[in-house]
Amino acid sequence: MKQFVGTQLIKVFCAADERALARMLRASLGDRRVALCFHRVAERRREGELLPKLTMPPAEIDRLIQFLLETKGRSNRWLTVSFDDGYLDSAEYILSRAPKFPEVEWLFFVCPEKTERQVGFRWDLAETRRRAESGLDEDGIIFAPVDLSSENLRSELVRLAREPEFRLADVEMCRRIQQLANAALGNHSNVHHRPALLACEQYRAEYQASMCDFQRLFGASAHFAFPFGVPEQDFFAEHVDAIRGLGRFLIWSTEPRPFHAAERSRGAVLPRFAVDGTRTWREIAAQIAIHALRTRFRGDAGRYPGRLEEDVR
């Protein structure tokens, strides 16, 4: 029912002209900030793509960013555009667009061991297997138990990353992103497994190892994004505590709400709108406005506020 109401509201907001939509978005956001979470960038989706929501055409992303900046202004870097998983197409997009949108903060979240070794992801493996096996249990592949020491040595995942449609950015390309004035790299864990499915000793070892690998490859990280990223579903307080125990990071989720500047402090878990790439830029703008309006009335605050008083711009 809630999803149906949300879909109907999006249709209502989208029916307005651009000026009306901009007014609604501006009024619902107020002085709050917005972070967007994308994954893949492509003009066309792959045939039989397992997770089509993860892919969005570059022109649609461009138009969404332009609309948001035109609606709320271009100062204070209130808009963060992030890409998870470290795919080559998203790295190329950041390198081409970050100079064109200097007002935007760009974040590129990578799995450092996968990036260094060029090792693919389980959901892409499930997609390739589904082409040859009807009735395949994709979740059984994606969320099966993981051996941290051998996951990124699996030959099938190594072969996968060599395929053009599943290529990852390499270390050198990631370092080029680091050189941009308005962009940064972030850690996304080494094996990208759902935190809630890992035992305590596993997720602690996973976070420690990925932080060490990230430091060795790219230097100190100021950002960490939980894989999958839904609070109280994919990760919980104990996972947040484990990250906080390793350093002073901004921690990012996929909770869909805007946030206040005061929330942006080291150790805080900040929200991001996980963008559904099958929607148009207008639908996504409408969705942001609706969530912003809901949280404005509810007065929602972060579930895991920062423990330090330092504000991170």
Side-chain angles (χ1 to χ4, degrees):
M1 182 64 172
K2 184 178 180 182
Q3 184 176 4
F4 173 78
V5 172
T7 301
Q8 295 306 305
L9 282 174
I10 289 175
K11 290 181 179 178
V12 170
F13 275 52
C14 285
D17 61 35
E18 287 190 21
R19 290 185 180 181
L21 179 58
R23 286 195 299 270
M24 289 185 283
L25 180 61
R26 191 160 45 243
S28 61
L29 281 177
D31 62 354
R32 292 178 293 175
R33 300 183 178 190
V34 168
L36 305 175
C37 175
F38 297 93
H39 293 82
R40 305 293 307 269
V41 184
E43 293 287 354
R44 296 180 180 84
R45 291 181 181 83
R46 301 180 301 279
E47 183 177 355
E49 188 165 347
L50 179 64
L51 302 170
K53 291 183 178 181
L54 299 188
T55 302
M56 193 166 186
E60 286 291 299
I61 302 176
D62 291 346
R63 188 64 189 95
L64 175 62
I65 294 172
Q66 290 168 351
F67 179 77
L68 293 174
L69 293 176
E70 291 164 1
T71 295
K72 198 172 178 291
R74 297 174 177 267
S75 61
N76 301 325
R77 287 215 177 143
W78 64 272
L79 178 61
T80 298
V81 175
S82 65
F83 287 82
D84 284 4
D85 305 334
Y87 284 102
L88 175 63
D89 49 57
S90 55
E92 291 174 337
Y93 181 85
I94 291 177
L95 287 169
S96 66
R97 297 317 197 267
K100 296 180 181 179
F101 295 105
E103 316 90 333
V104 174
E105 175 189 45
W106 298 82
L107 299 178
F108 191 56
F109 287 102
V110 301
C111 298
E113 187 176 62
K114 285 186 179 293
T115 296
E116 182 177 30
R117 295 181 176 179
Q118 293 292 286
V119 179
F121 292 94
R122 288 185 175 194
W123 54 83
D124 292 329
L125 177 63
E127 180 180 315
T128 60
R129 287 187 178 178
R130 189 176 66 169
R131 296 170 187 167
E133 183 180 340
S134 61
L136 181 73
D137 178 14
E138 295 93 353
D139 284 352
I141 295 175
I142 298 170
F143 300 118
V146 63
D147 180 343
L148 299 179
S149 64
S150 64
E151 175 71 7
N152 287 332
L153 298 176
R154 293 171 59 183
S155 59
E156 56 193 350
L157 294 179
V158 173
R159 287 195 299 270
L160 191 69
R162 296 171 184 163
E163 299 296 324
E165 64 265 41
F166 303 128
R167 288 276 304 279
L168 302 181
D170 61 19
V171 170
E172 180 56 36
M173 179 170 279
C174 291
R175 288 172 178 166
R176 287 173 56 197
I177 291 175
Q178 280 187 300
Q179 295 171 5
L180 297 170
N182 55 333
L185 299 181
N187 184 4
H188 201 35
S189 83
N190 268 342
V191 302
H192 200 293
H193 206 63
R194 178 170 279 168
L197 298 180
L198 297 175
C200 178
E201 62 272 14
Q202 283 185 302
Y203 66 73
R204 289 186 177 276
E206 162 74 337
Y207 299 155
Q208 178 70 59
S210 68
M211 294 296 180
C212 290
D213 288 335
F214 191 98
Q215 172 79 33
R216 174 174 54 83
L217 294 171
F218 307 116
S221 174
H223 303 273
F224 178 89
F226 277 112
F228 302 97
V230 179
E232 309 306 310
Q233 177 177 315
D234 296 317
F235 70 91
F236 296 88
E238 56 266 31
H239 304 104
V240 175
D241 289 341
I243 295 297
R244 286 173 170 169
L246 294 174
R248 303 170 69 188
F249 311 101
L250 284 174
I251 306 169
W252 297 87
S253 72
T254 53
E255 179 187 5
R257 67 174 181 86
F259 61 97
H260 292 281
E263 294 182 60
R264 192 176 162 115
S265 60
R266 302 288 189 185
V269 178
L270 297 174
R272 294 183 296 167
F273 288 90
V275 175
D276 180 346
T278 64
R279 288 177 165 169
T280 67
W281 72 266
R282 288 176 65 93
E283 290 173 322
I284 295 165
Q287 182 185 25
I288 294 170
I290 291 166
H291 278 284
L293 193 61
R294 286 173 176 167
T295 55
R296 193 178 187 89
F297 284 120
R298 288 201 306 245
D300 285 2
R303 290 181 174 88
Y304 306 105
R307 296 178 177 177
L308 303 173
E309 294 182 356
E310 177 186 357
D311 178 37
V312 185
R313 298 297 177 185

